[in-house]
């Protein structure tokens, strides 16, 4: 049953709050949280029973042939509740609770291509399987996590797909804490290996320690071997080879040198040949230009200076 069924058969209609989706996504603490809109809490179709009477055609006797029978079927409100509960288990950060394809504003043409790639994946996802994921690469603040969130929200709430989101460095931290509690890394990686669609953010981030490399390799290997769909976002270039760079004359600070060196790093170098090779088969690569502006920094710089001063006074209590 798709969203049209959920909206028209439920009590949402053309609600001015949810726009007929029958659910809302809000920030609740550190996570994005979905809930049923007030317009659909009381289902007008089933009266709160959770099921409706429908018809089903079956053949129990070749002599009699196909017959139509009345059967009890789950109401759309039951499906809606299950999808909302499933979304709340995804683990999306609260900061991207309101992220959607509609409110993603590209600053460059290539950004629009990234949105188109994510939208095409989400709207053409086949539940039967065989879906190729994508890797979004680009500088910080260019909306990669925004697109991951929009994709997962559509898949879970509109298509009914099971999904999870993980930020790679937080996953490493979770596994380390698990070690202290007597858990193995496999106990934490196991559920992530089996989920239908997994989004891994900040791929390549970390110190590149043996623990981190082994964890990442095991997770991606499990999903690769099981033919499961995985989405990625990274700040590192997807280019297969490092491009030659010319030294620029003049004074440069140590920080400038470090930034230049970091920007020149390739995802291939950060994750190793084995993982990179699998990514090439598992995903479509989409790379944003290095000069794509950081929308958070741009928004900050466009705000009136008085706003910053007021915020600082309010934060310090002066």
């Amino acid at each position: 049953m798709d969203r049209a069924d959920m909206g028209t058969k439920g009590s949402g209609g053309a609600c001015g709050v949810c726009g007929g989706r029958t659910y809302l996504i809000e920030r609740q603490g550190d996570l994005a949280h979905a809930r049923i809109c007030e317009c659909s809490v009381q289902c007008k179709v089933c009266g709160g029973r959770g099921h409706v009477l429908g018809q089903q055609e079956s053949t129990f006797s070749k002599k009699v042939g196909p017959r139509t029978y009345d059967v009890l079927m789950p109401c759309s409100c039951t499906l809606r509740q299950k999808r909302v509960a499933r979304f709340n288990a995804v683990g999306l950060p609260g900061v991207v609770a309101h992220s959607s394809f509609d409110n993603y504003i590209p600053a460059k043409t290539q950004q629009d291509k990234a949105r188109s790639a994510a939208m095409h994946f989400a709207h053409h996802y086949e539940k039967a399987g065989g879906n190729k994921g994508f890797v979004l690469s680009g500088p910080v603040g260019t909306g990669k996590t925004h697109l991951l969130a929009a994709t997962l929200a559509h898949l879970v709430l509109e298509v009914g797909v099971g999904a999870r989101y993980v930020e790679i460095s937080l996953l490493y931290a979770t596994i380390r804490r698990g070690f202290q509690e007597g858990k193995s890394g496999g106990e934490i990686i196991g559920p992530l290996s089996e989920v239908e669609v997994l989004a891994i953010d900040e791929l390549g981030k970390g110190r590149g320690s043996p623990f981190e490399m082994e964890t990442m390799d095991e997770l991606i290997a499990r999903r690769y071997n099981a033919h499961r769909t995985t989405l990625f976002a990274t700040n590192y270039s997807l280019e297969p080879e490092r491009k030659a760079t010319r030294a620029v004359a003049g004074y440069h600070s140590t920080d400038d040198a470090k930034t230049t060196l970091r920007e020149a790093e390739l995802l291939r170098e950060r994750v190793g040949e084995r993982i990179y090779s699998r990514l090439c088969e598992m995903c479509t690569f989409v790379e944003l230009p290095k000069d794509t502006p950081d929308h958070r920094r741009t928004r900050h710089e466009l705000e009136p200076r008085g706003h910053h001063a007021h915020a600082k006074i309010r934060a310090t209590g002066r």
Side-chain angles (χ1 to χ4, degrees):
M1 190 178 296
D2 58 20
R3 184 172 69 87
D5 295 324
M6 294 171 63
T8 58
K9 292 185 179 180
S11 54
C15 172
V17 178
C18 69
R21 295 182 305 172
T22 71
Y23 61 82
L24 299 169
I25 303 176
E26 303 165 331
R27 179 170 186 166
Q28 190 174 93
D30 294 336
L31 298 174
H33 181 83
R35 64 176 176 86
I36 304 297
C37 181
E38 291 298 324
C39 71
S40 299
V41 170
Q42 296 297 326
C43 182
K44 296 179 180 179
V45 177
C46 70
R49 292 185 297 272
H51 57 267
V52 293
L53 190 64
Q55 292 187 327
Q56 179 177 309
E57 186 178 279
S58 300
T59 302
F60 295 101
S61 169
K62 293 183 179 180
K63 183 178 180 180
V64 176
R67 298 287 296 273
T68 300
Y69 301 88
D70 290 335
V71 295
L72 285 177
M73 305 174 63
C75 180
S76 59
C77 67
T78 301
L79 173 65
R80 181 167 53 241
Q81 291 170 354
K82 288 181 178 178
R83 291 186 178 183
V84 165
R86 182 174 283 180
F87 176 85
N88 292 335
V90 172
L92 280 172
V95 71
V96 291
H98 301 291
S99 297
S100 69
F101 294 124
D102 291 336
N103 61 24
Y104 180 84
I105 303 175
K108 287 180 171 289
T109 303
Q110 191 64 27
Q111 271 186 289
D112 200 42
K113 290 181 180 179
R115 178 177 62 176
S116 296
M119 283 183 63
H120 184 273
F121 171 86
H123 290 282
H124 293 83
Y125 185 86
E126 295 289 343
K127 295 191 72 174
N131 301 281
K132 192 171 186 177
F134 58 75
V135 183
L136 299 178
S137 166
V140 298
T142 51
K144 300 184 297 297
T145 304
H146 182 124
L147 290 177
L148 287 182
T151 300
L152 294 186
H154 179 88
L155 290 179
V156 176
L157 293 167
E158 305 291 353
V159 186
V161 175
R164 284 286 304 276
Y165 167 93
V166 293
E167 199 269 278
I168 198 66
S169 61
L170 296 182
L171 174 62
Y172 297 149
T174 300
I175 295 176
R176 288 191 178 99
R177 286 196 301 270
F179 290 156
Q180 297 174 357
E181 298 169 1
K183 297 180 182 178
S184 67
E187 291 181 67
I188 298 171
I189 290 178
L192 297 178
S193 305
E194 298 171 1
V195 70
E196 191 171 347
V197 176
L198 175 66
I200 300 178
D201 206 352
E202 300 286 0
L203 182 63
K205 183 178 179 181
R207 294 172 297 178
S209 67
F211 161 73
E212 292 177 350
M213 298 299 288
E214 289 168 8
T215 299
M216 184 165 47
D217 182 72
E218 181 180 351
L219 177 56
I220 294 177
R222 285 193 183 193
R223 296 193 60 81
Y224 171 84
N225 293 332
H227 301 288
R228 301 198 185 281
T229 304
T230 313
L231 314 177
F232 301 89
T234 181
N235 294 333
Y236 297 96
S237 174
L238 302 176
E239 293 290 338
E241 301 291 342
R242 189 189 292 261
K243 295 181 179 179
T245 56
R246 292 186 305 170
V248 180
Y251 169 78
H252 297 280
S253 68
T254 302
D255 288 341
D256 288 339
K258 288 181 178 179
T259 299
T260 301
L261 183 62
R262 183 170 61 252
E263 289 178 348
E265 282 190 279
L266 306 177
L267 181 64
R268 177 182 177 183
E269 297 170 337
R270 296 293 301 179
V271 302
E273 293 293 336
R274 175 183 165 91
I275 292 176
Y276 182 81
S277 175
R278 287 178 170 172
L279 293 179
C280 291
E281 184 176 338
M282 296 169 68
C283 301
T284 298
F285 285 7
V286 182
E287 185 152 12
L288 301 173
K290 295 188 183 301
D291 60 348
T292 304
D294 179 339
H295 76 91
R296 290 187 290 264
R297 181 175 177 178
T298 301
R299 184 174 56 194
H300 173 79
E301 292 174 347
L302 290 176
E303 288 179 349
R305 292 190 176 185
H307 173 80
H308 298 308
H310 177 71
K312 183 175 181 181
I313 292 173
R314 183 172 54 189
T316 57
R318 296 177 184 176

